[in-house]
Amino acid sequence: MPPLSRPSHLPDPVVYQRLLRDQQRGHRALAVLLDPDNVSLDEAAHLVALSHRHPVEYFLVGGSLITSANPGALRELLRRE
């Protein structure tokens, strides 16, 4: 039987642990939430380009109700950049 995969609505354990560590150390970090229903891939690419000049520690992908087919493409864009 193949191992169960982590449900996509749960935070990545590595990212979650890093967030906790940063908080405990008093480290300030900038996180940008991208809602796949409200941002196009072109807009997301522009935000990623801006993040090279203005460091963003975390890009979070999500929203209250995701109805677009965009979340996977958005995550792939962020991974590539």
Side-chain angles (χ1 to χ4, degrees):
M1 179 178 233
L4 295 175
S5 63
R6 183 181 51 79
S8 63
H9 68 280
L10 295 177
D12 183 311
V14 173
V15 172
Y16 183 68
Q17 290 302 318
R18 186 174 161 200
L19 284 166
L20 288 177
R21 185 184 67 234
D22 286 350
Q23 180 188 29
Q24 290 168 349
R25 292 179 179 171
H27 175 75
R28 291 180 174 219
L30 176 62
V32 175
L33 174 62
L34 299 174
D35 184 338
D37 290 330
N38 294 318
V39 67
S40 70
L41 291 177
D42 288 338
E43 291 168 328
H46 178 70
L47 288 171
V48 169
L50 289 174
S51 77
H52 294 297
R53 287 184 280 159
H54 308 283
V56 173
E57 282 81 10
Y58 305 97
F59 279 101
L60 306 173
V61 177
S64 57
L65 179 63
I66 299 175
T67 60
S68 74
N70 196 13
L74 189 54
R75 284 192 301 267
E76 284 304 313
L77 170 76
L78 294 172
R79 285 186 184 118
R80 281 195 316 263
E81 299 295 324

PDB file of all heavy atoms in Angstrom, residues 6 10-13 20 27 35 50 52 63 67-68 71 75-76:
ATOM      1  N   ARG A   6       0.298  14.001   2.453  1.00  0.00           N
ATOM      2  CA  ARG A   6      -0.196  15.038   3.361  1.00  0.00           C
ATOM      3  C   ARG A   6      -1.292  15.824   2.645  1.00  0.00           C
ATOM      4  O   ARG A   6      -1.118  16.253   1.510  1.00  0.00           O
ATOM      5  CB  ARG A   6       0.961  15.966   3.728  1.00  0.00           C
ATOM      6  CG  ARG A   6       0.628  17.035   4.712  1.00  0.00           C
ATOM      7  CD  ARG A   6       1.833  17.916   5.001  1.00  0.00           C
ATOM      8  NE  ARG A   6       2.468  18.421   3.807  1.00  0.00           N
ATOM      9  CZ  ARG A   6       2.013  19.457   3.095  1.00  0.00           C
ATOM     10  NH1 ARG A   6       0.944  20.096   3.468  1.00  0.00           N
ATOM     11  NH2 ARG A   6       2.649  19.856   2.022  1.00  0.00           N
ATOM     12  N   LEU A  10      -3.025  21.353   4.746  1.00  0.00           N
ATOM     13  CA  LEU A  10      -2.152  21.437   5.913  1.00  0.00           C
ATOM     14  C   LEU A  10      -0.845  22.121   5.529  1.00  0.00           C
ATOM     15  O   LEU A  10      -0.345  21.939   4.425  1.00  0.00           O
ATOM     16  CB  LEU A  10      -1.848  20.038   6.457  1.00  0.00           C
ATOM     17  CG  LEU A  10      -3.035  19.281   7.020  1.00  0.00           C
ATOM     18  CD1 LEU A  10      -2.605  17.892   7.459  1.00  0.00           C
ATOM     19  CD2 LEU A  10      -3.652  20.025   8.185  1.00  0.00           C
ATOM     20  N   PRO A  11      -0.270  22.909   6.433  1.00  0.00           N
ATOM     21  CA  PRO A  11       0.991  23.565   6.106  1.00  0.00           C
ATOM     22  C   PRO A  11       2.114  22.554   5.953  1.00  0.00           C
ATOM     23  O   PRO A  11       2.111  21.501   6.592  1.00  0.00           O
ATOM     24  CB  PRO A  11       1.240  24.488   7.306  1.00  0.00           C
ATOM     25  CG  PRO A  11       0.423  23.938   8.411  1.00  0.00           C
ATOM     26  CD  PRO A  11      -0.736  23.215   7.778  1.00  0.00           C
ATOM     27  N   ASP A  12       3.048  22.869   5.090  1.00  0.00           N
ATOM     28  CA  ASP A  12       4.240  22.040   4.913  1.00  0.00           C
ATOM     29  C   ASP A  12       4.966  21.999   6.262  1.00  0.00           C
ATOM     30  O   ASP A  12       5.232  23.046   6.857  1.00  0.00           O
ATOM     31  CB  ASP A  12       5.132  22.673   3.845  1.00  0.00           C
ATOM     32  CG  ASP A  12       6.356  21.850   3.549  1.00  0.00           C
ATOM     33  OD1 ASP A  12       7.046  21.438   4.503  1.00  0.00           O
ATOM     34  OD2 ASP A  12       6.625  21.631   2.360  1.00  0.00           O
ATOM     35  N   PRO A  13       5.291  20.804   6.771  1.00  0.00           N
ATOM     36  CA  PRO A  13       5.913  20.733   8.102  1.00  0.00           C
ATOM     37  C   PRO A  13       7.231  21.501   8.179  1.00  0.00           C
ATOM     38  O   PRO A  13       7.544  22.085   9.212  1.00  0.00           O
ATOM     39  CB  PRO A  13       6.133  19.242   8.347  1.00  0.00           C
ATOM     40  CG  PRO A  13       5.538  18.518   7.211  1.00  0.00           C
ATOM     41  CD  PRO A  13       5.066  19.494   6.199  1.00  0.00           C
ATOM     42  N   LEU A  20       7.765  28.759  13.139  1.00  0.00           N
ATOM     43  CA  LEU A  20       7.851  28.695  14.603  1.00  0.00           C
ATOM     44  C   LEU A  20       9.225  29.121  15.103  1.00  0.00           C
ATOM     45  O   LEU A  20       9.349  29.883  16.070  1.00  0.00           O
ATOM     46  CB  LEU A  20       7.536  27.285  15.092  1.00  0.00           C
ATOM     47  CG  LEU A  20       6.083  26.841  14.996  1.00  0.00           C
ATOM     48  CD1 LEU A  20       5.953  25.387  15.448  1.00  0.00           C
ATOM     49  CD2 LEU A  20       5.177  27.740  15.814  1.00  0.00           C
ATOM     50  N   HIS A  27      12.504  36.894  14.954  1.00  0.00           N
ATOM     51  CA  HIS A  27      12.837  37.291  13.578  1.00  0.00           C
ATOM     52  C   HIS A  27      11.581  37.789  12.865  1.00  0.00           C
ATOM     53  O   HIS A  27      10.558  37.128  12.864  1.00  0.00           O
ATOM     54  CB  HIS A  27      13.429  36.098  12.823  1.00  0.00           C
ATOM     55  CG  HIS A  27      13.682  36.370  11.374  1.00  0.00           C
ATOM     56  ND1 HIS A  27      14.732  37.135  10.947  1.00  0.00           N
ATOM     57  CD2 HIS A  27      13.013  35.982  10.267  1.00  0.00           C
ATOM     58  CE1 HIS A  27      14.715  37.205   9.629  1.00  0.00           C
ATOM     59  NE2 HIS A  27      13.670  36.518   9.189  1.00  0.00           N
ATOM     60  N   ASP A  35      -3.863  34.490  -3.457  1.00  0.00           N
ATOM     61  CA  ASP A  35      -5.132  33.773  -3.594  1.00  0.00           C
ATOM     62  C   ASP A  35      -5.288  33.399  -5.067  1.00  0.00           C
ATOM     63  O   ASP A  35      -5.417  34.276  -5.921  1.00  0.00           O
ATOM     64  CB  ASP A  35      -6.283  34.667  -3.145  1.00  0.00           C
ATOM     65  CG  ASP A  35      -7.627  33.963  -3.161  1.00  0.00           C
ATOM     66  OD1 ASP A  35      -7.775  32.953  -3.879  1.00  0.00           O
ATOM     67  OD2 ASP A  35      -8.537  34.438  -2.468  1.00  0.00           O
ATOM     68  N   LEU A  50       9.374  41.381  -8.147  1.00  0.00           N
ATOM     69  CA  LEU A  50       9.552  42.407  -7.121  1.00  0.00           C
ATOM     70  C   LEU A  50      10.238  41.848  -5.880  1.00  0.00           C
ATOM     71  O   LEU A  50      10.997  42.550  -5.210  1.00  0.00           O
ATOM     72  CB  LEU A  50       8.197  43.010  -6.733  1.00  0.00           C
ATOM     73  CG  LEU A  50       7.527  43.913  -7.760  1.00  0.00           C
ATOM     74  CD1 LEU A  50       6.130  44.298  -7.285  1.00  0.00           C
ATOM     75  CD2 LEU A  50       8.363  45.150  -8.033  1.00  0.00           C
ATOM     76  N   HIS A  52      12.600  39.872  -5.681  1.00  0.00           N
ATOM     77  CA  HIS A  52      14.060  39.800  -5.825  1.00  0.00           C
ATOM     78  C   HIS A  52      14.715  41.095  -5.347  1.00  0.00           C
ATOM     79  O   HIS A  52      15.858  41.086  -4.906  1.00  0.00           O
ATOM     80  CB  HIS A  52      14.443  39.517  -7.277  1.00  0.00           C
ATOM     81  CG  HIS A  52      14.009  38.170  -7.743  1.00  0.00           C
ATOM     82  ND1 HIS A  52      14.468  36.996  -7.199  1.00  0.00           N
ATOM     83  CD2 HIS A  52      13.137  37.801  -8.706  1.00  0.00           C
ATOM     84  CE1 HIS A  52      13.908  35.965  -7.798  1.00  0.00           C
ATOM     85  NE2 HIS A  52      13.088  36.427  -8.717  1.00  0.00           N
ATOM     86  N   GLY A  63      -6.694  30.572  -0.014  1.00  0.00           N
ATOM     87  CA  GLY A  63      -7.811  31.491   0.073  1.00  0.00           C
ATOM     88  C   GLY A  63      -8.935  30.811   0.832  1.00  0.00           C
ATOM     89  O   GLY A  63      -8.839  29.643   1.200  1.00  0.00           O
ATOM     90  N   THR A  67     -11.653  28.146  -6.117  1.00  0.00           N
ATOM     91  CA  THR A  67     -12.512  27.600  -7.166  1.00  0.00           C
ATOM     92  C   THR A  67     -11.819  27.522  -8.514  1.00  0.00           C
ATOM     93  O   THR A  67     -12.347  26.926  -9.436  1.00  0.00           O
ATOM     94  CB  THR A  67     -13.783  28.457  -7.311  1.00  0.00           C
ATOM     95  OG1 THR A  67     -13.407  29.794  -7.644  1.00  0.00           O
ATOM     96  CG2 THR A  67     -14.603  28.436  -6.030  1.00  0.00           C
ATOM     97  N   SER A  68     -10.639  28.126  -8.632  1.00  0.00           N
ATOM     98  CA  SER A  68      -9.944  28.114  -9.917  1.00  0.00           C
ATOM     99  C   SER A  68      -9.087  26.861 -10.039  1.00  0.00           C
ATOM    100  O   SER A  68      -8.796  26.176  -9.063  1.00  0.00           O
ATOM    101  CB  SER A  68      -9.068  29.355 -10.062  1.00  0.00           C
ATOM    102  OG  SER A  68      -7.926  29.232  -9.247  1.00  0.00           O
ATOM    103  N   PRO A  71      -4.269  26.891  -8.600  1.00  0.00           N
ATOM    104  CA  PRO A  71      -3.325  26.737  -7.487  1.00  0.00           C
ATOM    105  C   PRO A  71      -2.078  25.927  -7.827  1.00  0.00           C
ATOM    106  O   PRO A  71      -0.981  26.282  -7.418  1.00  0.00           O
ATOM    107  CB  PRO A  71      -4.110  26.067  -6.377  1.00  0.00           C
ATOM    108  CG  PRO A  71      -5.478  25.863  -6.854  1.00  0.00           C
ATOM    109  CD  PRO A  71      -5.586  26.400  -8.235  1.00  0.00           C
ATOM    110  N   ARG A  75       1.730  27.391  -7.626  1.00  0.00           N
ATOM    111  CA  ARG A  75       2.791  26.778  -6.809  1.00  0.00           C
ATOM    112  C   ARG A  75       4.012  26.447  -7.659  1.00  0.00           C
ATOM    113  O   ARG A  75       5.144  26.653  -7.231  1.00  0.00           O
ATOM    114  CB  ARG A  75       2.266  25.532  -6.107  1.00  0.00           C
ATOM    115  CG  ARG A  75       1.370  25.831  -4.919  1.00  0.00           C
ATOM    116  CD  ARG A  75       1.096  24.602  -4.075  1.00  0.00           C
ATOM    117  NE  ARG A  75       0.460  23.545  -4.816  1.00  0.00           N
ATOM    118  CZ  ARG A  75      -0.839  23.347  -4.910  1.00  0.00           C
ATOM    119  NH1 ARG A  75      -1.663  24.157  -4.290  1.00  0.00           N
ATOM    120  NH2 ARG A  75      -1.339  22.349  -5.601  1.00  0.00           N
ATOM    121  N   GLU A  76       3.792  25.951  -8.866  1.00  0.00           N
ATOM    122  CA  GLU A  76       4.909  25.624  -9.762  1.00  0.00           C
ATOM    123  C   GLU A  76       5.703  26.880 -10.139  1.00  0.00           C
ATOM    124  O   GLU A  76       6.926  26.858 -10.194  1.00  0.00           O
ATOM    125  CB  GLU A  76       4.419  24.907 -11.015  1.00  0.00           C
ATOM    126  CG  GLU A  76       4.069  23.459 -10.764  1.00  0.00           C
ATOM    127  CD  GLU A  76       5.233  22.667 -10.161  1.00  0.00           C
ATOM    128  OE1 GLU A  76       6.375  22.773 -10.670  1.00  0.00           O
ATOM    129  OE2 GLU A  76       5.009  21.964  -9.170  1.00  0.00           O
TER     130      GLU A  76
END
